[in-house]
């Protein structure tokens, strides 16, 4: 199945478990082979860093991680090198690997890249919209609106943005977004800790969805831009409250404003 056609399987929606099947189908579309040990280690360690289970500054022991993941040290070491390339891990010769502090500059750069890709995809998303894709996204939004914790909401948030790219025929672009947004994801996850209500993020998604369904490209783009830029507000608040998590002191920063809602 080509990544651009991952959402065209109407048979998913004839079964009770179609929501999970759709997600698995995306994963199959993104890769024709099972993940390697290195990829499994990468995904797991990245999640530990993004969710703060391994906080900024923490020492990452290859031995401990290998035991936790039931893997040898080699794929763990390779995964740490990949994460270092993303700026999530700092490898210190003769000392070990440490979770990097959150870099506000990298958060802003990643937000810019993500916004450019996701907003640009909305035109094709509207053109490719089908009752099946609408049913999937609507079910996804219902699940988001029932969330009460960031642990519940965060993976559904990822699914929503990934789904829009998939419907647009740009499922493979998610890899480019993912590789750029490690520091951004850490700020997003922290932002779900009460800096803005989870229900407000879910409402943002619902407005984007409604604009896409109605074919209103301008509104869909404006709502998505506004939604994606909230992380910059969260970043300012979190950096002021938790400066020890960041690589530079909090201070005034020029940034793009959110579009005004009409």
């Amino acid at each position: 199945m080509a990544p651009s056609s991952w959402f065209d399987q109407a048979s998913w929606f004839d079964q009770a478990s179609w929501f999970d099947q759709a997600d698995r189908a995306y994963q199959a579309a993104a890769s024709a082979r099972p993940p390697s040990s290195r990829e499994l280690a990468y995904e797991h360690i990245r999640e530990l860093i993004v969710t703060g289970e391994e906080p900024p500054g923490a020492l990452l022991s290859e031995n401990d991680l290998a035991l936790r993941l039931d893997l040898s040290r080699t794929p763990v070491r390779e995964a740490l090198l990949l994460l270092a390339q993303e700026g999530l891990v700092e490898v210190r010769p003769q000392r070990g690997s440490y979770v990097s502090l959150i870099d506000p500059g990298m958060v802003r750069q990643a937000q810019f890249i993500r916004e450019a890709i996701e907003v640009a995809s909305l035109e094709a998303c509207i053109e490719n919209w089908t009752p099946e894709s609408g049913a999937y996204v609507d079910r996804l939004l219902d699940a988001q609106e029932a969330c009460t914790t960031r642990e519940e909401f965060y993976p559904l948030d990822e699914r929503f943005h990934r789904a829009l790219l998939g419907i647009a025929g740009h499922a493979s672009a998610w890899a480019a977004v993912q590789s750029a947004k490690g520091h951004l994801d850490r700020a997003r996850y922290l932002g779900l800790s009460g800096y803005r209500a989870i229900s407000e993020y879910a409402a943002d998604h619902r407005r984007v969805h409604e604009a896409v369904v109605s074919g209103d490209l301008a509104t869909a783009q404006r709502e998505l831009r506004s939604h994606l830029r909230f992380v910059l507000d969260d970043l300012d608040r979190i950096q002021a409250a938790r400066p020890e998590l960041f690589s530079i002191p909090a201070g005034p920063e020029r940034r793009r404003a959110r579009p005004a809602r009409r």
Side-chain angles (χ1 to χ4, degrees):
M1 186 190 307
S4 61
S5 62
W6 73 275
F7 218 100
D8 298 328
Q9 308 301 307
S11 61
W12 294 341
F13 304 95
D14 298 329
Q15 303 179 47
S17 61
W18 59 265
F19 185 81
D20 290 333
Q21 290 182 31
D23 202 51
R24 286 196 297 271
Y26 171 84
Q27 299 290 353
S31 176
R33 58 172 176 76
S36 66
S37 295
R38 180 182 67 179
E39 289 165 341
L40 288 172
Y42 166 85
E43 290 294 338
H44 188 86
I45 299 169
R46 188 183 190 280
E47 182 178 357
L48 293 176
I49 294 171
V50 167
T51 61
E53 187 171 340
E54 293 288 356
L59 173 65
L60 297 168
S61 165
E62 290 183 9
N63 287 331
D64 290 349
L65 289 168
L67 286 172
R68 289 172 69 176
L69 301 178
D70 194 23
L71 296 170
S72 69
R73 288 179 58 186
T74 298
V76 170
R77 186 180 305 115
E78 292 172 345
L80 290 173
L81 290 174
L82 289 174
L83 290 163
Q85 291 175 8
E86 290 185 29
L88 292 176
V89 168
E90 180 184 353
V91 179
R92 303 176 188 174
Q94 310 304 319
R95 296 179 61 187
S97 298
Y98 295 79
V99 178
S100 65
L101 298 177
I102 300 172
D103 185 331
M106 292 186 71
V107 173
R108 293 183 175 92
Q109 290 177 28
Q111 192 280 333
F112 176 81
I113 293 169
R114 183 180 190 187
E115 180 180 318
I117 292 174
E118 293 195 28
V119 172
S121 75
L122 286 176
E123 183 173 5
C125 187
I126 289 173
E127 293 172 354
N128 295 345
W129 199 260
T130 66
E132 291 76 25
S133 58
Y136 174 83
V137 174
D138 198 52
R139 175 74 176 270
L140 182 55
L141 294 176
D142 288 344
Q144 290 183 2
E145 289 163 356
C147 291
T148 58
T149 68
R150 64 179 179 177
E151 289 77 14
E152 295 171 334
F153 181 80
Y154 183 79
L156 297 175
D157 179 56
E158 291 281 278
R159 277 178 167 176
F160 173 77
H161 291 278
R162 194 175 68 192
L164 293 183
L165 284 174
I167 294 166
H170 301 304
S172 59
W174 183 255
V177 173
Q178 184 79 353
S179 66
K181 69 187 185 78
H183 284 265
L184 174 64
D185 284 345
R186 297 163 84 188
R188 287 171 57 219
Y189 198 81
L190 285 167
L192 292 171
S193 301
Y195 293 92
R196 188 174 184 237
I198 288 172
S199 60
E200 294 182 53
Y201 288 102
D204 291 348
H205 292 167
R206 182 67 73 178
R207 285 190 291 270
V208 173
H209 172 247
E210 290 172 350
V212 168
V213 170
S214 66
D216 186 344
L217 177 60
T219 297
Q221 290 177 332
R222 184 175 66 251
E223 292 292 347
L224 185 57
R225 284 195 188 96
S226 178
H227 168 67
L228 293 175
R229 291 181 188 182
F230 265 110
V231 71
L232 302 178
D233 290 340
D234 291 339
L235 179 64
D236 292 340
R237 287 191 286 263
I238 298 165
Q239 194 175 358
R242 302 287 307 278
E244 73 278 6
L245 301 179
F246 293 85
S247 60
I248 61 173
E253 178 85 19
R254 293 186 63 187
R255 58 183 173 81
R256 294 169 297 159
R258 293 192 308 277
R261 183 167 293 128
R262 296 175 184 173

